[in-house]
Amino acid sequence: QVQLMESGGGSVQAGGSLRLSCVASGYRNNYHSIGWFRQGAGKEREGVGTLHSDGTTTYADSVKGRFTISKDNAENTLYLQMNSLKPEDTAIYYCAAISTVLARQIGLDGGSWSRFAFWGQGTQVTVSS
């Protein structure tokens, strides 16, 4: 059983930065991928990026070059560094864990992750113009 807890959300002006944290228990570095997702008001959940167990990352085109996923193995904590934030980045951000084997099959499809992954409770990010 993997348990996840996000933190670090808040309000920021456009162009600013935030770093979200995801503390994971029961997470295995050599087995699980971590995905970051977001859901804006009235929108479907969308994938932001993933960090696989081999250290490789993937990002949605909408955040590529602005967002970076990393992890601190000693602290069992994963991070989403968000730079050059835009108002359209406003959403609740979630981290989720799933096996890397499955993550590579389903990519950033939020629906599939919703069915198979462990999820945190989310943290709100608001970007004002």
Side-chain angles (χ1 to χ4, degrees):
Q1 183 81 4
V2 179
Q3 294 182 319
L4 305 165
M5 180 171 293
E6 305 91 337
S7 63
S11 297
V12 64
Q13 289 192 327
S17 299
L18 280 175
R19 189 178 76 161
L20 306 184
S21 300
C22 173
V23 178
S25 61
Y27 160 78
R28 287 188 280 163
N29 288 315
N30 61 355
Y31 178 79
H32 287 108
S33 294
I34 290 291
W36 283 97
F37 292 79
R38 64 187 182 186
Q39 188 165 16
K43 298 181 181 180
E44 293 187 354
R45 188 170 296 183
E46 66 169 337
V48 172
T50 54
L51 172 64
H52 297 301
S53 57
D54 61 0
T56 58
T57 53
T58 60
Y59 296 97
D61 288 342
S62 59
V63 306
K64 204 171 291 183
R66 299 189 298 124
F67 290 11
T68 304
I69 300 173
S70 62
K71 66 179 178 179
D72 181 335
N73 289 333
E75 298 294 330
N76 270 354
T77 301
L78 297 105
Y79 301 100
L80 178 66
Q81 177 67 44
M82 306 185 294
N83 299 327
S84 302
L85 283 162
K86 305 174 182 180
E88 52 263 44
D89 295 318
T90 295
I92 299 174
Y93 283 72
Y94 302 86
C95 61
I98 203 169
S99 71
T100 290
V101 170
L102 188 53
R104 291 201 184 278
Q105 294 178 16
I106 62 177
L108 286 172
D109 178 64
S112 297
W113 279 76
S114 293
R115 286 194 294 273
F116 299 115
F118 298 96
W119 289 85
Q121 84 292 345
T123 186
Q124 175 71 47
V125 171
T126 302
V127 184
S128 58
S129 57

